[in-house]
Amino acid sequence: MIRNILIFILIVIAWQANAQANYPVIVIETNYGTMKAVLYDDTPVHSNHYLKLIKDGYFDGTLFHRVVKDFVIQGGAQDSRNAPAGVQIGGGRTDMELMPEFRKNRFHKKGALAAPRKGDDQNPQKKSDASQFYIVQGRIYTQGRLDSMEMAVNVPIKNELIRTHYLPHKETLDQLKEANDAVGFNALLDSLLTVVDSLYAIAPGKFFLPEELKEAYTTLGGIDRLDGEYTVFGEVTEGLEVIDKIASLPVDANSRPETDAEIRRIYVE
């Protein structure tokens, strides 16, 4: 109970912190419940495009055709409308490709609204297939897992500095230690470590996750491996439980739910 209250508070705080001014609230009605979402101001190309499609009724009557538990629910494909049971669906459109709008403050937390795309081999520019969309379910991360992700990048950088600036003096340090010259040993060691720490502080390539991301991924959940690879242009602010209902549906070999998860309509509130 307490955990649910805390999660609700975090959702409200996150929504208030990211309150949008340029776009109306979007309502997504499904046969498993209703969600409300906002479109981001800082991804205007995607937000404007999807808002137009929504106002045109483009997604009404389509399905969530690709459902992967603890990952995403993907829908909106035009070939999913009235598709017979068991038929493979989800074809995209090349005439609705958009250049990516990656933003460091927009990540794949639970409820993130994002655009799918073709793989890098066919699509090196990472253009969005803006004829569909997906919503993140993801999973809860431990703080240790997030720390390990940072360490995987940062530790090798520091180790290289140690190899370059510390190891060449190791023999001298060993000699000072054998001679019981604590003053000389500590002075040289402190000097070397200061150099390593100073260079590490300004070293390029270090990786630190934003605190907002850490908080979201350890409470609501998310998918880190999609960050910086797919454009996140909005987020679900109400009805996160609907994502869980759809993500829990039994699916066939193509990840299509065996019982249709219908997008009855999406409209502006």
Side-chain angles (χ1 to χ4, degrees), residues 14 105 215:
N105 61 322
E215 183 176 340

Side-chain angles (χ1 to χ4, degrees), residues 230-252:
Y230 297 80
T231 295
V232 177
F233 60 88
E235 65 180 87
V236 172
T237 56
E238 295 182 33
L240 292 175
E241 70 280 359
V242 177
I243 302 171
D244 296 330
K245 290 178 183 178
I246 295 173
S248 296
L249 294 173
V251 298
D252 63 19

Side-chain angles (χ1 to χ4, degrees), residues 29 61 125 136 185 191 221 225 230 236 242 252:
E29 287 187 2
Q125 293 180 299
V136 172
F185 177 87
S191 175
R225 67 178 181 274
Y230 297 80
V236 172
V242 177
D252 63 19

Side-chain angles (χ1 to χ4, degrees), residues 12 39 69 88 103 111 121 123 133 167 223 233:
V12 173
L39 304 178
K69 186 174 174 56
Q88 184 175 0
R103 304 289 182 259
D121 54 339
N123 180 27
F133 64 90
L167 291 184
I223 314 170
F233 60 88

Side-chain angles (χ1 to χ4, degrees), residues 211-224:
E211 289 303 315
E212 182 186 0
L213 181 150
K214 291 181 179 180
E215 183 176 340
Y217 279 19
T218 55
T219 55
L220 298 175
I223 314 170
D224 72 281

Side-chain angles (χ1 to χ4, degrees), residues 14-15 17-24 26 37-51 101-114 212 231-237:
W15 182 83
N18 292 288
Q20 301 299 296
N22 293 335
Y23 300 99
I26 303 303
V38 293
L39 304 178
Y40 291 150
D41 290 346
D42 55 6
T43 55
V45 174
H46 282 72
S47 294
N48 289 334
H49 172 83
Y50 278 95
L51 182 60
E101 293 179 285
F102 300 147
R103 304 289 182 259
K104 290 183 179 180
N105 61 322
R106 305 305 186 187
F107 43 86
H108 284 77
K109 63 185 176 182
K110 184 175 184 177
L113 184 61
E212 182 186 0
T231 295
V232 177
F233 60 88
E235 65 180 87
V236 172
T237 56

Side-chain angles (χ1 to χ4, degrees), residues 171-182 184-186 188:
E171 184 176 348
T172 302
L173 286 169
D174 290 341
Q175 292 172 352
L176 292 170
K177 187 174 183 180
E178 290 177 5
N180 292 320
D181 185 354
F185 177 87
N186 289 330
L188 179 57

